[in-house]
Amino acid sequence: MVYMADTDYRDKALRLVAEMTLEEKASLCSGQSFWNLQAIERLGLKPIMVTDGPHGLRKQAGATDQLGLNESIPSTCFPLACASACSFDVDLLHEVGVAIAEECRQEQVSVVLGPGVNIKRNPLCGRNFEYFSEDPLLAGEMGRALVQGVQSLDIGTSVKHYAANNQETRRTVIDSVVDIRALREIYLAPYERIVKAAQPWTLMCSYNKVNGTFASDNRWLLTDVPRGEWGFEGSIMSDWGATDDRVIGVHAGLDLEMPSSNGMNDRLVLEAVGAGTLAEEDLDQLATRIATLILRSMDALVEGYTYDAQAHHALARKAAEQSSVLLKNEDRLLPLSPDQDIAVIGAFAKQPRYQGAGSSKINPTRIESAVEALESLGLGFGYADGYHREKGADPDETLIAEACALAAGKDAVVIFAGLPEEYESEGFDRLNMDMPASHVQLIERVAAVNPNVVVVLQLGAPVELPWRDKVKSILVSYLGGQAVGGAEANLLLGHAVPCAKLAETWPLFYEDTPSSLYFPGGSKSVEYRESVFVGYRYFDSASRQVAYPFGHGLSYTEFSYSDLHADKDRFERGGRLAVGCTVENTGTLAGSEVVQLYVGLPDSSVYRPRKELRAFAKVELQPGESKQVTLELDDRSFAYYHEAEGTWAIEEGCYEVMLGASSADIRLKMQVQVDGDGKEQTLAGLFEKLPHYFTLPDGPLEIPDKEFEALYGRPLPPSERVPGTPFDINSTLNDIKDTKAGKLIAGQLKRQTQAMLGDGMSDDVAAFIDASINDMPLRSMLMLGGEGITRQMVDGMVDLANGKTLRGYFNIWRGRPKK
C-alpha cells in the first residue's frame, strides 16, 4: 500500500474541516469512548483506537470498564523502560518498536500510548519502572528510537507524561514547582529531542500543574514551546481524566480530551465559541490536527494482518539479555558451569516479577521462568523457595532454614530476589528503598553458610543493598518482560555476555538522593529544589559515594580505551566536534561495550554539574578485536539554558571532554577550547544569590527557602492546603476524607470499582486502585461515572464537602441525567 505524505493528510484534513458543522468540530474535542476517538462517518473519519502499551500492547478484551483495567488480550511483554534503557542500544529499541507496531496492526490499534520519558528524579517514584533514565539525553534517545520503530509501520505513538510528572503521590493535582533552567535542561529535554528527531504523532499531557497551571491548560507548555520552538506537527491529548478546564485547554493547544466526556465538554466548547470567549480558529486548528491523526491512522487498518508471536518472544528474550546489568562479579563467579553443584533459591526463580502494575500491565503470550530455562539448558540444581511469593515481607524461618540447608556445600548459590508487585505501581510511591525483610534475611543467612552467592534482582527501581559486600555477584534484571527467565539463564551460564549499563544511579542510602528532602512534597506542591542536580549530576558534583554509579555495568570480558582524539582543538558555535577513541576487547569472550562521552566546564561562572552525558555508542567486539568509536558534539553539548534571555547560551572556556565506562569510570580525558556568546556576563552576582548551587553542601542537599525562591524567580506557592480554604472540583478525596461527603463518595467509588473488577483483584491492582481513588480530584468522577454523573452533580458533591448540605443535595438531584 502507498501512503500519502504528511502534507497530503493535512491538506485533506483542512478540506474536511471546511465541510464540518460547528457541532462536528466540537465533537472531535473528546473521545467517543474510553479508547476510541470520535468518528464523523459522513466524512469518512473512523473511530480509531488508542490503547496502553509502553512496553507492549495492552488492549482490553471485551467490554471496557471505567478504569480501563479489565483483562486485556494476550500480547508480548517486552522489557520495561527501566530495563531497556540500560541496553544503551537504540537499534534494539527501534526493533522492539517495530514489533509493538506489528501487534497493533493485528489488533487494529492506531496509536500506542507511550513511551514514557519522564525523568527519574527520585528513586521512590512508583512508576519509575515505566521511565527510561535520570539522564535526559539517554531518555530522549531511547524514546526517539522506540517512536521511530513504532511509527515506521504507520502506527502512532503518544510520548508521555508531558511534563514534570515525576511522582505518583497526588499526581492529579500536585503543582510541580521547578525553575525554568531545570525544566529546559532536564525535564523538557527528552521531549524536545524526540519531537525534533522523530515527530511523534501525539504527545500526552500530564495531570499535574507546572508552575501553577495545569498542564492541560498551559499554553506555554502545549503550544509555545513544542509547536513554536520545536516544530511539533502532531496532536496533544490528555492523560485519562487529566483535563481541567476544557475551553481553556482548547485555546492552550490541548487537542483531545480522553476519554469521552459524554458530550458535556464538547457543549461547553460550542457555547464558548458562540459567546465569543473561544475563537473558532482555535477549534478549527484542533479539528484539523485530530482529522489529520485519524486520516494517517486509517491507512494501517488492514484486515488479516498477523504477527509472529514466537519471533516476538525471542526478541523479548534478546532485549532482556541486552538490558540486564552485572553490578558485581567478584572472583569471576559468573558465568556458572553446568558441571558445578548449584542451588537455586527464591520464589522469583519460578514465578518471575517481570512487569509493573497499573495501566501498563500486560497479559503476556507466555511467561518464561529461570527455573524452566535453566532446566531446558540441561543444568541440574536443587531448588528452595526461600520466601513466600505473595505478601512475602515477613521472613519465614522454615523457608530460610530450608534454603540454608540446600546452599551449604554447593559450588555456587543463585538467589532470586527483589521487590514484589505490591511494592511498586502506578498510583502510589514507595515509602523507602528497602527490600522486603524476607528477601534481605534470606540473602544474608545463605551468604553466611556459602560465600559463593549470586543475587539476581527483579525490580523496577534501585534498592538499598545492606548485603552487597556479603555476596560475590549481583545481576540486575530490572523488570525484564515475559522472557526474563530465559535471559537470566543464558546470562548465568555464559550463553550471553552482559553488556548493559545502569541508566540511573544506585545510591548507598535514600537520604543521599538530592531530592530526598523535597519528595513527594506537600498536599499542594512539590519543590524541585535540586534544580539541574539530578542523579549523577549531583552525586559526581558533590563527590558523594554511591553504591553503583550511572553508566556502570560489568562484562565477562574486558575493554581498554586508547588514542583519544578530536578533529579540531577549538569548537566554534554552530559547528561540530568529532571526538574519537579506540576500544579493544582485551578479554577472551565476545562482548559489547558502551562508550560514554561526558562534557564539563571546571570553574564555570554559571552553576552547572561537573559532567553531563552528551553522547554514547555501543560497540560489539570479538576477543582481541579493536574498533574506532567516533562521537559528535554540537552547540547543545556545551550549552546551558539562559532564562533571562530565553535561549540556550554557551560560556566561553576550556571544557573537559571525557570518555568512560561510567560517570565514575572515566578512561580518557582531553581539553577543548570553546567559543562562547558572553551571555553569562549578564548573570553577575549569581554566586551571591545561589551559593548552595555553586558549592553543593556536604550532606543532604538542603536549599534555603530564600535561595530557592531567588532561583525560581517568584514567590513560592504554599506547599500545603490552608485550613479552612473552600473545597472545589480539584480537591481530592484525601482532602475531603474527613467530611461526610468524602466518606460517602469514597465508599461509593470503592463499591463501584469492586463491582467492575470483581473479587479476583490482585494485591497490586487493589493497591493501585485504592491510591488512585484517594488522590483523584472530584472532577474525575465525570470520567469514572460515565453518563450517570454530570457536572452539576459534582458541584453538588463539592457543596456537601463545604457543609452546604441543602444546596448540595439539590444540585445532585437536579443534575441527574434525564432519562
Side-chain angles (χ1 to χ4, degrees), residues 596-609:
Q596 303 159 46
L597 191 158
Y598 297 87
V599 171
L601 178 60
D603 303 319
S604 170
S605 63
V606 181
Y607 69 90
R608 62 200 308 166

Side-chain angles (χ1 to χ4, degrees), residues 441-486:
Q441 286 196 27
L442 172 69
I443 294 169
E444 292 179 338
R445 294 271 295 277
V446 169
V449 301
N450 192 320
N452 297 318
V453 173
V454 178
V455 175
V456 179
L457 291 175
Q458 298 175 357
L459 34 65
V463 291
E464 292 183 12
L465 305 171
W467 42 264
R468 71 188 181 108
D469 292 333
K470 301 174 184 177
V471 304
K472 289 190 174 180
S473 298
I474 305 173
L475 178 68
V476 181
S477 299
Y478 277 101
L479 300 181
Q482 67 182 54
V484 67

